[in-house]
Amino acid sequence: MTCLNHGLFTPLQPLGKNSPSPTAANSFPTRDRATTGQNYKEMDTRNKQTPPAVTTVLFDFDGVVVDTEAQYSSFWHQVGIDYLQTDELEIQIKGTTLTDIYHRFFKNRPQDQKAITAALDDFEQQMEYDYVPGLQEFASDLRRHSIQTAVVTSSSSKKMAAVFRKRPEIESMFDRILTAELFTRSKPAPDCFLLGMHTLGATPQETCIFEDSFNGLRAAVDSGASVIGLATTNSRESIAPFCQLVLDNFLGFDHNALLGTHRQALGHKHTT
């Protein structure tokens, strides 16, 4: 999930260090092991203490809603070769904004930044935005159960406009779509997810986040929500320590499985 910020969009006030803090995240320990088998339907959804039910689900976009990771990896791999003489740039920039990429790798290189931005804009207009398998059915199931949803992405509004032209139904699939212009610190800072909760009026204890990249997973953990990882970008084993459950995709996953995972996460929190 390579998230990119290079547009203008200001319907909400950005969340910065001087802004009023949204719902504070309680400490939530890093998960030492996730459920990595296909046994989530067998999870016990009962909890004697009746913890807060999940009311809100936040989705990262690339690698979670749509399967674009391979396309972005190809683009940044070539950028790395052309500009930096490295063949690992795509690995190093996963889950960061374009601003962060430029600050880290192209500082004081304005002409290179301009050329890369133009190439990226053209590339995103031509990309395919195919859904991660099962995503549409899962989103529909959440809506049937009155679960509010939001896409929380470090992609820009300009990039998302290209997405909407190819997939116009995405705008009505989720209650809100929050883009990179709305927060000043990118992942692994949890600002974007805290803003998502704040926007939908949810607490971390009521929220579950779906992520795929290491930076995104770290941000999700630090937000205090329960976390489910998608093994679309990294291996199941490598992301397992950051989440309660690892999925290859959304096929067969539904509202009941979500509740079981969320309650298991809260039970782990209450006993540690």
Side-chain angles (χ1 to χ4, degrees), residues 169-192:
E169 69 276 6
I170 286 180
E171 289 189 89
S172 60
M173 192 180 299
F174 304 95
D175 296 307
R176 297 298 299 268
I177 296 179
L178 307 182
T179 57
E181 296 84 358
L182 302 178
F183 35 89
T184 57
R185 295 195 303 166
S186 63
K187 304 166 186 176
D191 299 33
C192 57

mmCIF file of all heavy atoms in Angstrom, residues 169-192:
data_model
loop_
_atom_site.group_PDB
_atom_site.id
_atom_site.type_symbol
_atom_site.label_atom_id
_atom_site.label_comp_id
_atom_site.label_asym_id
_atom_site.label_seq_id
_atom_site.Cartn_x
_atom_site.Cartn_y
_atom_site.Cartn_z
ATOM 1 N N GLU A 169 -18.793 3.687 -7.963
ATOM 2 C CA GLU A 169 -19.565 3.128 -6.849
ATOM 3 C C GLU A 169 -18.825 3.222 -5.523
ATOM 4 O O GLU A 169 -19.444 3.116 -4.454
ATOM 5 C CB GLU A 169 -19.914 1.667 -7.142
ATOM 6 C CG GLU A 169 -18.751 0.688 -7.128
ATOM 7 C CD GLU A 169 -17.979 0.630 -8.434
ATOM 8 O OE1 GLU A 169 -18.268 1.443 -9.337
ATOM 9 O OE2 GLU A 169 -17.081 -0.239 -8.545
ATOM 10 N N ILE A 170 -17.511 3.441 -5.550
ATOM 11 C CA ILE A 170 -16.736 3.506 -4.308
ATOM 12 C C ILE A 170 -17.215 4.657 -3.424
ATOM 13 O O ILE A 170 -17.233 4.552 -2.196
ATOM 14 C CB ILE A 170 -15.228 3.627 -4.606
ATOM 15 C CG1 ILE A 170 -14.697 2.282 -5.098
ATOM 16 C CG2 ILE A 170 -14.443 4.065 -3.368
ATOM 17 C CD1 ILE A 170 -13.216 2.267 -5.418
ATOM 18 N N GLU A 171 -17.625 5.758 -4.032
ATOM 19 C CA GLU A 171 -18.048 6.919 -3.253
ATOM 20 C C GLU A 171 -19.251 6.611 -2.374
ATOM 21 O O GLU A 171 -19.396 7.177 -1.291
ATOM 22 C CB GLU A 171 -18.356 8.094 -4.175
ATOM 23 C CG GLU A 171 -17.134 8.702 -4.819
ATOM 24 C CD GLU A 171 -17.454 9.984 -5.550
ATOM 25 O OE1 GLU A 171 -17.400 11.060 -4.922
ATOM 26 O OE2 GLU A 171 -17.764 9.909 -6.758
ATOM 27 N N SER A 172 -20.135 5.736 -2.826
ATOM 28 C CA SER A 172 -21.320 5.391 -2.033
ATOM 29 C C SER A 172 -21.132 4.107 -1.231
ATOM 30 O O SER A 172 -21.996 3.744 -0.426
ATOM 31 C CB SER A 172 -22.538 5.244 -2.953
ATOM 32 O OG SER A 172 -22.323 4.228 -3.924
ATOM 33 N N MET A 173 -20.014 3.433 -1.415
ATOM 34 C CA MET A 173 -19.753 2.188 -0.701
ATOM 35 C C MET A 173 -19.380 2.442 0.759
ATOM 36 O O MET A 173 -19.603 1.598 1.627
ATOM 37 C CB MET A 173 -18.624 1.416 -1.405
ATOM 38 C CG MET A 173 -18.454 -0.014 -0.945
ATOM 39 S SD MET A 173 -17.101 -0.865 -1.838
ATOM 40 C CE MET A 173 -17.683 -0.788 -3.530
ATOM 41 N N PHE A 174 -18.791 3.634 1.026
ATOM 42 C CA PHE A 174 -18.334 3.990 2.366
ATOM 43 C C PHE A 174 -18.987 5.296 2.818
ATOM 44 O O PHE A 174 -19.355 6.133 2.001
ATOM 45 C CB PHE A 174 -16.810 4.142 2.374
ATOM 46 C CG PHE A 174 -16.078 2.933 1.882
ATOM 47 C CD1 PHE A 174 -15.675 2.840 0.552
ATOM 48 C CD2 PHE A 174 -15.798 1.873 2.730
ATOM 49 C CE1 PHE A 174 -15.007 1.726 0.078
ATOM 50 C CE2 PHE A 174 -15.131 0.747 2.268
ATOM 51 C CZ PHE A 174 -14.741 0.670 0.942
ATOM 52 N N ASP A 175 -19.099 5.469 4.136
ATOM 53 C CA ASP A 175 -19.708 6.688 4.668
ATOM 54 C C ASP A 175 -18.823 7.909 4.461
ATOM 55 O O ASP A 175 -19.320 9.003 4.218
ATOM 56 C CB ASP A 175 -20.018 6.516 6.158
ATOM 57 C CG ASP A 175 -21.044 5.434 6.411
ATOM 58 O OD1 ASP A 175 -22.126 5.501 5.790
ATOM 59 O OD2 ASP A 175 -20.770 4.522 7.202
ATOM 60 N N ARG A 176 -17.527 7.728 4.603
ATOM 61 C CA ARG A 176 -16.589 8.823 4.399
ATOM 62 C C ARG A 176 -15.330 8.315 3.715
ATOM 63 O O ARG A 176 -14.959 7.146 3.884
ATOM 64 C CB ARG A 176 -16.195 9.492 5.735
ATOM 65 C CG ARG A 176 -17.334 10.164 6.483
ATOM 66 C CD ARG A 176 -17.953 11.290 5.679
ATOM 67 N NE ARG A 176 -17.011 12.348 5.369
ATOM 68 C CZ ARG A 176 -16.836 13.423 6.129
ATOM 69 N NH1 ARG A 176 -17.512 13.565 7.264
ATOM 70 N NH2 ARG A 176 -15.989 14.361 5.764
ATOM 71 N N ILE A 177 -14.681 9.217 2.976
ATOM 72 C CA ILE A 177 -13.380 8.923 2.383
ATOM 73 C C ILE A 177 -12.452 10.061 2.762
ATOM 74 O O ILE A 177 -12.663 11.205 2.355
ATOM 75 C CB ILE A 177 -13.470 8.759 0.860
ATOM 76 C CG1 ILE A 177 -14.338 7.542 0.520
ATOM 77 C CG2 ILE A 177 -12.072 8.605 0.255
ATOM 78 C CD1 ILE A 177 -14.533 7.284 -0.953
ATOM 79 N N LEU A 178 -11.451 9.754 3.590
ATOM 80 C CA LEU A 178 -10.520 10.753 4.098
ATOM 81 C C LEU A 178 -9.187 10.602 3.390
ATOM 82 O O LEU A 178 -8.607 9.516 3.371
ATOM 83 C CB LEU A 178 -10.331 10.588 5.613
ATOM 84 C CG LEU A 178 -11.609 10.574 6.456
ATOM 85 C CD1 LEU A 178 -11.258 10.464 7.926
ATOM 86 C CD2 LEU A 178 -12.458 11.802 6.204
ATOM 87 N N THR A 179 -8.689 11.699 2.815
ATOM 88 C CA THR A 179 -7.452 11.667 2.046
ATOM 89 C C THR A 179 -6.332 12.407 2.764
ATOM 90 O O THR A 179 -6.541 13.041 3.800
ATOM 91 C CB THR A 179 -7.679 12.277 0.658
ATOM 92 O OG1 THR A 179 -8.183 13.614 0.802
ATOM 93 C CG2 THR A 179 -8.668 11.447 -0.147
ATOM 94 N N ALA A 180 -5.160 12.348 2.186
ATOM 95 C CA ALA A 180 -3.928 12.787 2.853
ATOM 96 C C ALA A 180 -3.909 14.263 3.207
ATOM 97 O O ALA A 180 -3.202 14.672 4.131
ATOM 98 C CB ALA A 180 -2.729 12.468 1.969
ATOM 99 N N GLU A 181 -4.672 15.076 2.492
ATOM 100 C CA GLU A 181 -4.671 16.512 2.780
ATOM 101 C C GLU A 181 -5.242 16.842 4.151
ATOM 102 O O GLU A 181 -5.082 17.967 4.637
ATOM 103 C CB GLU A 181 -5.471 17.262 1.702
ATOM 104 C CG GLU A 181 -4.886 17.176 0.309
ATOM 105 C CD GLU A 181 -5.285 15.919 -0.444
ATOM 106 O OE1 GLU A 181 -5.997 15.076 0.123
ATOM 107 O OE2 GLU A 181 -4.866 15.780 -1.597
ATOM 108 N N LEU A 182 -5.888 15.876 4.772
ATOM 109 C CA LEU A 182 -6.592 16.129 6.031
ATOM 110 C C LEU A 182 -5.749 15.892 7.276
ATOM 111 O O LEU A 182 -6.206 16.169 8.374
ATOM 112 C CB LEU A 182 -7.850 15.243 6.090
ATOM 113 C CG LEU A 182 -8.838 15.447 4.933
ATOM 114 C CD1 LEU A 182 -10.005 14.500 5.069
ATOM 115 C CD2 LEU A 182 -9.317 16.881 4.902
ATOM 116 N N PHE A 183 -4.543 15.385 7.140
ATOM 117 C CA PHE A 183 -3.697 15.163 8.309
ATOM 118 C C PHE A 183 -2.253 15.485 7.953
ATOM 119 O O PHE A 183 -1.817 15.274 6.832
ATOM 120 C CB PHE A 183 -3.823 13.735 8.861
ATOM 121 C CG PHE A 183 -4.035 12.678 7.817
ATOM 122 C CD1 PHE A 183 -2.948 12.055 7.214
ATOM 123 C CD2 PHE A 183 -5.313 12.313 7.414
ATOM 124 C CE1 PHE A 183 -3.129 11.082 6.238
ATOM 125 C CE2 PHE A 183 -5.495 11.355 6.433
ATOM 126 C CZ PHE A 183 -4.421 10.737 5.855
ATOM 127 N N THR A 184 -1.538 16.015 8.929
ATOM 128 C CA THR A 184 -0.185 16.512 8.671
ATOM 129 C C THR A 184 0.888 15.451 8.855
ATOM 130 O O THR A 184 1.950 15.543 8.247
ATOM 131 C CB THR A 184 0.135 17.704 9.587
ATOM 132 O OG1 THR A 184 -0.017 17.297 10.957
ATOM 133 C CG2 THR A 184 -0.816 18.857 9.310
ATOM 134 N N ARG A 185 0.642 14.454 9.701
ATOM 135 C CA ARG A 185 1.626 13.387 9.917
ATOM 136 C C ARG A 185 1.120 12.115 9.256
ATOM 137 O O ARG A 185 -0.003 11.694 9.477
ATOM 138 C CB ARG A 185 1.854 13.145 11.405
ATOM 139 C CG ARG A 185 2.479 14.305 12.147
ATOM 140 C CD ARG A 185 2.990 13.854 13.504
ATOM 141 N NE ARG A 185 1.923 13.261 14.312
ATOM 142 C CZ ARG A 185 2.138 12.548 15.412
ATOM 143 N NH1 ARG A 185 3.383 12.330 15.831
ATOM 144 N NH2 ARG A 185 1.123 12.049 16.102
ATOM 145 N N SER A 186 1.964 11.515 8.444
ATOM 146 C CA SER A 186 1.570 10.290 7.759
ATOM 147 C C SER A 186 1.889 9.076 8.627
ATOM 148 O O SER A 186 2.527 9.180 9.668
ATOM 149 C CB SER A 186 2.285 10.178 6.407
ATOM 150 O OG SER A 186 3.688 10.091 6.595
ATOM 151 N N LYS A 187 1.420 7.927 8.201
ATOM 152 C CA LYS A 187 1.718 6.680 8.895
ATOM 153 C C LYS A 187 3.234 6.488 8.935
ATOM 154 O O LYS A 187 3.919 6.850 7.989
ATOM 155 C CB LYS A 187 1.055 5.510 8.160
ATOM 156 C CG LYS A 187 -0.454 5.680 7.998
ATOM 157 C CD LYS A 187 -1.010 4.699 6.985
ATOM 158 C CE LYS A 187 -2.481 4.968 6.713
ATOM 159 N NZ LYS A 187 -3.037 4.096 5.664
ATOM 160 N N PRO A 188 3.798 6.028 10.032
ATOM 161 C CA PRO A 188 3.188 5.258 11.128
ATOM 162 C C PRO A 188 2.544 6.074 12.247
ATOM 163 O O PRO A 188 2.134 5.496 13.247
ATOM 164 C CB PRO A 188 4.374 4.460 11.676
ATOM 165 C CG PRO A 188 5.544 5.338 11.451
ATOM 166 C CD PRO A 188 5.285 6.013 10.130
ATOM 167 N N ALA A 189 2.473 7.389 12.140
ATOM 168 C CA ALA A 189 1.705 8.163 13.119
ATOM 169 C C ALA A 189 0.230 7.780 12.991
ATOM 170 O O ALA A 189 -0.264 7.555 11.877
ATOM 171 C CB ALA A 189 1.889 9.653 12.882
ATOM 172 N N PRO A 190 -0.505 7.705 14.093
ATOM 173 C CA PRO A 190 -1.896 7.253 14.039
ATOM 174 C C PRO A 190 -2.898 8.346 13.693
ATOM 175 O O PRO A 190 -4.103 8.108 13.723
ATOM 176 C CB PRO A 190 -2.136 6.743 15.464
ATOM 177 C CG PRO A 190 -1.281 7.633 16.308
ATOM 178 C CD PRO A 190 -0.024 7.890 15.484
ATOM 179 N N ASP A 191 -2.428 9.546 13.351
ATOM 180 C CA ASP A 191 -3.305 10.702 13.163
ATOM 181 C C ASP A 191 -4.475 10.423 12.218
ATOM 182 O O ASP A 191 -5.613 10.816 12.486
ATOM 183 C CB ASP A 191 -2.509 11.885 12.616
ATOM 184 C CG ASP A 191 -1.398 12.331 13.538
ATOM 185 O OD1 ASP A 191 -0.813 11.475 14.224
ATOM 186 O OD2 ASP A 191 -1.092 13.540 13.566
ATOM 187 N N CYS A 192 -4.199 9.768 11.092
ATOM 188 C CA CYS A 192 -5.252 9.549 10.107
ATOM 189 C C CYS A 192 -6.372 8.684 10.657
ATOM 190 O O CYS A 192 -7.558 8.959 10.428
ATOM 191 C CB CYS A 192 -4.670 8.936 8.841
ATOM 192 S SG CYS A 192 -3.782 7.381 9.091
#
